[in-house]
Structure formats: structure tokens, C-alpha cells
Amino acid sequence: MEFRLIDRIRERTAQGREDVRLGIGDDAALVAPPAGQELAIAVDTMVEGVHFPHGTDPADLGWKSLAVNLSDLAAMGASPAWALLALTLPRKPVEQVQQFIDGFAEGFAQLAQPHRLALIGGDTTSGALTISVAVHGFVPPGQALTRAGARAGDVVLVTGTLGDAAAGLRLLQAGARVAEGDGRAAYLIERLHRPIPRLQAGLALRGRATACIDVSDGLLADLGHICEASALGAEIDASLLPRSSMLLGAFDEVVTRDFALSGGDDYELCFTVPPAQVAEVQGDLARLGCGATRIGRMVEGAGVRVRDEHGQWLETIHRGWDHFA
């Protein structure tokens, strides 16, 4: 059964790359990293009921399990190359397992193929539904983006919009159906299930961003990681937080602000650049289609502080996802 599952995944995710010398089918893959490139490696695990709701469509799981890892490469300014996949699947009738694998592989392949990402190996076992993906990418020596390196006075920016995924999860928990309503629920739930990794933005930020991270656990939590790594603080203006019209049309101002600050699962990039480069970077990212919004600045100190719409410091804020809460 295990080998049939691997075969079904391989059939749907085949990707020809000259640097893959031996892929799925042996005890290990053989790859040949290009000369003069550093290798960026990231791994993420998603558990049913913790990282995604029970009953999530398999194709959406295939897409998202890869997207969250590609987002990590984007945050490092790396271009994707290879992936490994480990699936833990509940014991169910063979037909149900095959249907899950077919859907999962389809969603995975839909995101992998445009980026020429090759699935080069993996493993399957039985247990609670758990998905682990490891990705490998390339970055020129000395050009990787990191969380350290921000300087006092640097401007804090984010790509895209924030809070949509958290809103989509809230709607699902409230029993919303995608096919109903005016399209807001469909849009927000799609943002939860199928985030877009900002790989081109990450490449464009090489040599320009002083620090970068992807927004997976919530803006406050993730910007806090930049603060800690750079030994600085950050001040954010809540009125500047980029929020989609769909989000603003579905929830009130305070709720959308909280989603944008702490919701997580957006997989946008949060990064810092010197003030003199802000306009140029914003123009380049606008041409890439994701844009970049100025939301605050780096300051001496520690931690992230947020001003509300009236210029007052917010005292009590949920800081985002805790993996061990």
C-alpha cells in the first residue's frame, strides 16, 4: 500500500530538473546543487485540528502544505528547487485513502509546477492526519535575507493584505459556506486555504531589505522575531495596516485590526528597508502584483508597540499563534 501511495503522488507531481540525478524510488534522492549557490532549507509540519480544520479539502491541503514552506524560502530570498514529503494518514478504506492522495497531489502539483519544484522523495505511515514538507532552494552567497540586520530608523513594510486568513477561519468556525453570500466568505476562506507565497517579492528584496520574515504566526509575533534578532524595537501604526475590502466588508474595524495584528496564516512578507529605498521598493513590488505597505519603523528598545487609530498606544494585544499553547 505504501509504495502505491508514493507512486500516485509521483505521477501527479513529476517535475523534470537536471539537478535531480535520482528522485523518488530509491532509499535516498541524489541532487546536484549548482556551483556558487547556497542551499536554503525549511521544513513545516501541519496537524489536523491544530493547523487546519477537520474536513479540509485534500487539494487545499496539498497546496497549503507546500505554500507555507515556499513562504519560508521567500522570506530568505531563495528560489525553490526540491521538496520532500512525509504523510501520516488515518486508517481508512483503500478507496478513501486513494481519493485523498489524488486530491492532495493535485493541489500540491498546482503550486509546485509553476515554480519548477520537484518532489524528490518522502514517506508515508498511519496515524493522525499529519503533513510534513521540507523544501530546498538556492540563494547567491551573502544575499540571503534574515531576521537580523534591521537598523533603528528603518521602515517596516508588509506585502499584500493582512487578516484575511484569520477571518476565513472565523467564518468556517461559525459554519459559513463558501457558495453562500456575496463572495466575501469565499474570498476569505480561499485566503486561508490557498495562501500565495511571495517568492518573487523575496527575490526582489535581495540586497535591499535589512531584515525579513513571513507572517505565519501573526504580524506582532513575527515582527517581534525581527526585533529580537536585530536587538531593536518596532512601532506600528494600526491605521496603516493593509486590509482587503472583503475583510473590511465582513467585520468591524476593531476586529479587522486584531485579525491583521495577530491572526496569522497570511504568509505575506514583513520586512525592513532604509527610508531612502522605500519608494523604489514599493514601486517594484507593485509591479510584481503584491505591493508593499509602510506600517511603522524600527526604534531603539525591544518588542513591538502599536498605536491605535487615535494615536494612543494599545495596552492589551493578543500577540499571535503559540505553537505550544
Side-chain angles (χ1 to χ4, degrees), residues 14-278:
Q15 190 71 261
R17 290 183 62 102
E18 294 181 355
D19 51 21
V20 179
R21 303 300 165 80
L22 182 64
I24 295 174
D26 223 297
D27 290 310
L30 296 178
V31 292
Q37 294 284 307
E38 293 179 340
L39 190 60
I41 304 171
V43 62
D44 269 293
T45 296
M46 302 198 319
V47 180
E48 186 176 36
V50 178
H51 301 96
F52 57 90
H54 294 278
T56 300
D57 184 86
D60 289 338
L61 291 178
W63 176 289
K64 188 168 184 177
S65 65
L66 179 56
V68 302
N69 284 274
L70 293 183
S71 183
D72 286 331
L73 292 185
M76 300 294 292
S79 56
W82 318 308
L84 297 169
L85 168 67
L87 279 175
T88 302
L89 301 172
R91 290 189 179 277
K92 292 184 177 180
V94 173
E95 294 77 10
Q96 293 184 25
V97 174
Q98 290 178 344
Q99 288 176 0
F100 177 91
I101 290 296
D102 289 347
F104 181 93
E106 179 64 26
F108 192 99
Q110 285 173 352
L111 184 57
Q113 288 172 356
H115 299 293
R116 294 198 64 241
L117 182 129
L119 181 65
I120 59 173
D123 191 25
T124 59
T125 188
S126 63
L129 180 56
T130 304
I131 306 160
S132 293
V133 176
V135 290
H136 309 71
F138 307 136
V139 62
Q143 293 192 36
L145 307 175
T146 70
R147 300 175 182 184
R151 297 182 291 265
D154 282 352
V155 175
V156 180
L157 301 99
V158 292
T159 60
T161 58
L162 299 174
D164 292 333
L169 179 59
R170 176 74 61 85
L171 291 170
L172 281 178
Q173 291 170 335
R177 295 184 179 181
V178 172
E180 296 178 344
D182 57 5
R184 294 174 189 169
Y187 174 86
L188 297 171
I189 293 171
E190 177 84 357
R191 287 275 286 151
L192 171 68
H193 287 326
R194 297 215 172 194
I196 304 297
R198 300 301 187 183
L199 287 159
Q200 290 302 312
L203 298 182
L205 292 174
R206 286 178 182 171
R208 305 161 87 181
T210 52
C212 187
I213 193 170
D214 73 325
V215 182
S216 56
D217 296 333
L219 174 66
L220 293 181
D222 291 316
L223 179 54
H225 295 319
I226 288 181
C227 290
E228 183 177 2
S230 299
L232 290 171
E235 295 179 350
I236 300 301
D237 187 338
S239 67
L240 300 179
L241 295 170
R243 285 159 282 183
S244 69
S245 59
M246 294 294 192
L247 176 62
L248 292 170
F251 296 91
D252 66 37
E253 173 69 23
V254 172
V255 173
T256 66
R257 180 194 70 194
D258 291 345
F259 283 155
L261 288 172
S262 307
D265 253 5
D266 289 306
Y267 297 98
E268 298 292 348
L269 298 184
C270 175
F271 58 96
T272 59
V273 296
Q277 296 188 38
V278 170

